[in-house]
Amino acid sequence: MRSAPSPNPTAFTLPVRVYYEDTDAGGVVYYANYLRFFERCRTEWMRQIGYDQSALAVEAGIGFVARKASCEYRRPARLDDCLTVGLEVEKLTPVRIVFRQQVRRGDEELVVGSVEIACVNMTTMRPAPIPDDLYRQLEMLK
């Protein structure tokens, strides 16, 4: 699936279809799955700008871990819905990124959230600086 064009040039969006496995017994997307959709969006954005997280772990010895997440669920998504998952950078420090993320069905905003990601040294799991070239890419999303 290709990324849908974003109305905001400093954002990234990813189309996602809701499958049966994403829903709960009530037939709506299980609340925790929105965090999975957010993760896919961040991962695909990194791929689009030329960063493979597996390669960063091996070559640069760094990885990205979730530090904090919050969501506001406004409307439910259901089986077979075509959604758009988006991200923007809300805050950036040398070791942390706070992403503002959302899930939409057409123009309708279903879920909004904030996810704070920390860059860590994969050996020590201690904070590590975001590589300069990636940091510059992140600055463009602010």
Side-chain angles (χ1 to χ4, degrees):
M1 242 183 217
R2 294 184 58 121
S3 172
S6 172
N8 179 346
T10 62
F12 176 80
T13 59
L14 177 72
V16 172
R17 181 176 300 277
V18 176
Y19 295 106
Y20 188 75
E21 67 187 23
D22 299 318
T23 62
D24 62 16
V28 299
V29 171
Y30 182 65
Y31 75 97
N33 285 336
Y34 291 103
L35 293 173
R36 293 175 57 211
F37 297 161
F38 287 173
E39 175 71 28
R40 288 181 202 165
C41 183
R42 292 190 310 273
T43 299
E44 292 304 323
W45 171 76
M46 285 195 62
R47 279 192 182 115
Q48 180 174 302
I49 64 165
Y51 292 92
D52 178 299
Q53 292 189 65
S54 298
L56 282 172
V58 171
E59 296 165 12
I62 62 160
F64 294 94
V65 297
R67 185 174 183 277
K68 190 185 308 183
S70 67
C71 290
E72 180 181 337
Y73 305 96
R74 297 180 175 172
R75 309 276 299 160
R78 299 182 186 279
L79 180 65
D80 288 328
D81 280 352
C82 292
L83 308 175
T84 302
V85 183
L87 67 77
E88 299 175 55
V89 172
E90 186 171 48
K91 183 179 179 184
L92 179 63
T93 74
V95 298
R96 290 192 192 142
I97 313 151
V98 178
F99 288 99
R100 191 174 39 253
Q101 295 198 251
Q102 66 282 329
V103 175
R104 294 180 180 279
R105 180 178 47 228
D107 291 333
E108 184 179 26
E109 193 167 63
L110 305 180
V111 177
V112 293
S114 177
V115 180
E116 183 175 325
I117 302 297
C119 184
V120 297
N121 175 297
M122 293 301 289
T123 302
T124 65
M125 296 306 286
R126 304 284 303 157
I130 298 167
D132 290 339
D133 48 346
L134 177 55
Y135 190 88
R136 284 190 293 279
Q137 293 281 344
L138 288 160
E139 283 183 312
M140 289 192 282
L141 283 175
K142 287 179 27 180

